[in-house]
Amino acid sequence: MLKQLLLIFLGGGLGSVLRYLISKSLNFGTAFIPFGTFTVNILGSLLLGLILGIAAKSDIFNSNTVLFLAIGFCGGFTTFSSFAFENHALLRSGDYLNFFIYTFGSIILGILAVFLGLFLSKLT
């Protein structure tokens, strides 16, 4: 168990550093969209899909490699990748109601949570 946690930790650290470097180089203060964040979210989703797809159909990745790459690296690179994959699973299973609840609930509540956190931080 300690080995798996260490692999996730190392992958997450690498993903986080790469996310920072990409966001720093592509997010411009005058842009309408934070292109760096957008880029890592889309790339992370693509990478997670590739990793999990390859792992499901072949023996190229062992379970430790999947932990390092999918949970660690992609999780550190962007949690959006997990969100996108979970939505894919809901759509694939035909669970459209929970897809809409999860997708729009996550987006709306996530944005509201940021506003709430900012508001609460002003009270202290």
Side-chain angles (χ1 to χ4, degrees):
M1 177 69 158
L2 185 58
K3 179 181 178 182
Q4 287 83 8
L5 293 175
L6 182 60
L7 288 168
I8 293 167
F9 173 77
L10 292 173
L14 291 173
S16 295
V17 168
L18 187 57
R19 177 185 67 227
Y20 171 77
L21 293 173
I22 291 172
S23 292
K24 186 143 179 79
S25 67
L26 295 179
N27 282 350
F28 306 110
T30 59
F32 295 109
I33 296 172
F35 291 107
T37 304
F38 180 79
T39 300
V40 297
N41 284 340
I42 302 308
L43 284 176
S45 297
L46 174 65
L47 186 58
L48 183 67
L50 285 170
I51 293 164
L52 294 178
I54 291 169
K57 70 177 187 174
S58 73
D59 293 337
I60 293 174
F61 298 137
N62 64 31
S63 62
N64 286 334
T65 304
V66 172
L67 286 175
F68 176 79
L69 292 173
I71 296 174
F73 183 82
C74 288
F77 191 57
T78 172
T79 58
F80 186 80
S81 58
S82 296
F83 173 73
F85 183 75
E86 291 160 352
N87 275 299
H88 163 76
L90 288 169
L91 284 173
R92 191 164 186 213
S93 70
D95 193 351
Y96 302 112
L97 176 62
N98 282 322
F99 164 77
F100 283 108
I101 291 170
Y102 181 51
T103 300
F104 294 107
S106 294
I107 292 168
I108 292 166
L109 291 175
I111 293 169
L112 289 175
V114 169
F115 281 105
L116 178 61
L118 291 169
F119 172 76
L120 292 173
S121 70
K122 291 179 183 180
L123 298 178
T124 59

